[in-house]
Amino acid sequence: ANITTMMAASITVVLLLTLQILHPTNSFSTITMTSSPSQPLALNLKCKVKPTHRTKFLTAIQANQQSTRLTEPNNLQFVIGQDTEDENTFYFHEEFVNCEAFQEHMETEHFKMYSAFVNEEEPFEEPPVICLYNLREENDDVVSKKRGVHKKSFGLNVNLYPKASVRDDFLKVISDNKQGTDTIEELALQYSYGESTTIDGISEGSTNTFHFHEQYTGKDHGKEGFDVHASMPHFAAWEEFVQTDPFEKDPEVFFFKIIED
């Protein structure tokens, strides 16, 4: 794949989104999203839930998850994970075939029910952090059907901020890391990444800001697979690149155990 500019011409899609996800007291607002019209769209979300609301929150978000999977053919993935150290911090990863599919998701009854729960119960200790991005380097087979659901897997969401001056080098080493992970690691389930995009009022995209979602299987709830990944030559090349001071600000890495009944 071209490692310089893979973003297609941008379009503006008008969404009606319940801003209660971030601001539980707000009502519906009209927002806009600038994103590639044809590339798959991914979302990473981090939220910290009040301990008193943990059970209700899990019931509400898992109902949204299951309905999304079962009734939305253009949803490719909906993952929920619990932080490895804090049982009240959760991470989502969602994928849709394109921007329009994401818009349709926002208009479903199950999404509105989840939003109503957030509005009424105010379950979060602080506003969730949402990152949206267009997936890069995914083949047609991957983005044309739903991804598998994996129990007892280990996940991580990552935010990276390379300097503009090293963008091409960064993309090359990431591309090599992804290719190695996808092709030779038997315990690697997924390595997805892309550059941030914008939904006004929800997530502000930024050039040279990249988001990742990875999943691994094996012993210790999948941690074995990640440890194998960290021992591979393509990961060593990544670590060597990291030693060159390539970032505008420190990377953010979040580890979690994926929740599946």
Side-chain angles (χ1 to χ4, degrees):
N2 189 325
I3 63 171
T4 54
T5 303
M6 296 181 64
M7 299 295 289
S10 293
I11 61 171
T12 299
V13 180
V14 177
L15 299 178
L16 293 178
L17 176 64
T18 308
L19 294 180
Q20 295 155 353
I21 293 180
L22 289 177
H23 307 289
T25 59
N26 287 0
S27 59
F28 279 94
S29 298
T30 300
I31 61 175
T32 59
M33 178 168 68
T34 302
S35 181
S36 167
S38 59
Q39 285 180 290
L41 183 74
L43 175 153
N44 289 353
L45 182 147
K46 177 185 178 183
C47 61
K48 188 172 179 61
V49 176
K50 299 172 184 175
T52 54
H53 288 64
R54 184 179 189 277
T55 300
K56 287 184 177 180
F57 166 76
L58 284 173
T59 299
I61 191 58
Q62 288 180 310
N64 184 24
Q65 177 194 47
Q66 294 304 315
S67 292
T68 299
R69 287 174 171 174
L70 291 172
T71 67
E72 296 185 43
N74 291 326
N75 168 260
L76 300 173
Q77 190 173 31
F78 193 143
V79 172
I80 302 169
Q82 177 182 299
D83 189 271
T84 56
E85 297 183 358
D86 180 1
E87 69 172 8
N88 296 312
T89 295
F90 297 91
Y91 305 91
F92 306 166
H93 175 74
E94 303 174 40
E95 294 181 8
F96 298 86
V97 296
N98 53 30
C99 300
E100 183 178 359
F102 183 59
Q103 179 183 7
E104 292 169 353
H105 170 67
M106 299 293 183
E107 297 168 350
T108 61
E109 287 303 314
H110 48 269
F111 179 82
K112 292 177 182 178
M113 288 180 62
Y114 172 70
S115 296
F117 162 78
V118 171
N119 181 51
E120 295 165 6
E121 297 288 339
E122 299 185 4
F124 302 123
E125 288 196 348
E126 55 195 41
V129 177
I130 301 176
C131 303
L132 290 127
Y133 53 106
N134 290 119
L135 294 176
R136 303 168 66 105
E137 297 192 80
E138 296 289 5
N139 62 49
D140 292 341
D141 183 60
V142 169
V143 299
S144 63
K145 62 183 180 182
K146 290 182 180 290
R147 294 187 187 264
V149 175
H150 303 284
K151 296 184 178 181
K152 295 188 180 299
S153 57
F154 184 83
L156 58 153
N157 287 350
V158 181
N159 303 322
L160 297 178
Y161 311 94
K163 297 173 181 176
S165 60
V166 301
R167 176 184 172 91
D168 288 354
D169 292 338
F170 168 82
L171 288 173
K172 177 62 168 62
V173 74
I174 287 297
S175 181
D176 291 346
N177 197 8
K178 174 175 171 57
Q179 183 178 5
T181 304
D182 289 346
T183 58
I184 68 174
E185 293 186 36
E186 295 182 357
L187 298 181
L189 301 172
Q190 183 175 351
Y191 186 116
S192 299
Y193 83 102
E195 190 165 11
S196 71
T197 190
T198 295
I199 294 184
D200 292 343
I202 299 299
S203 178
E204 183 177 352
S206 177
T207 302
N208 296 321
T209 294
F210 292 84
H211 308 295
F212 296 71
H213 173 75
E214 303 173 36
Q215 286 189 44
Y216 300 89
T217 189
K219 299 176 182 177
D220 192 19
H221 208 108
K223 179 65 163 49
E224 177 190 12
F226 176 75
D227 291 340
V228 170
H229 170 68
S231 71
M232 300 300 290
H234 44 268
F235 188 83
W238 162 250
E239 289 191 310
E240 182 178 348
F241 173 78
V242 169
Q243 298 304 312
T244 66
D245 189 29
F247 299 118
E248 289 286 354
K249 62 178 181 177
D250 290 341
E252 298 162 334
V253 183
F254 308 104
F255 296 105
F256 50 92
K257 295 179 179 180
I258 291 171
I259 301 171
E260 292 289 348
D261 294 331

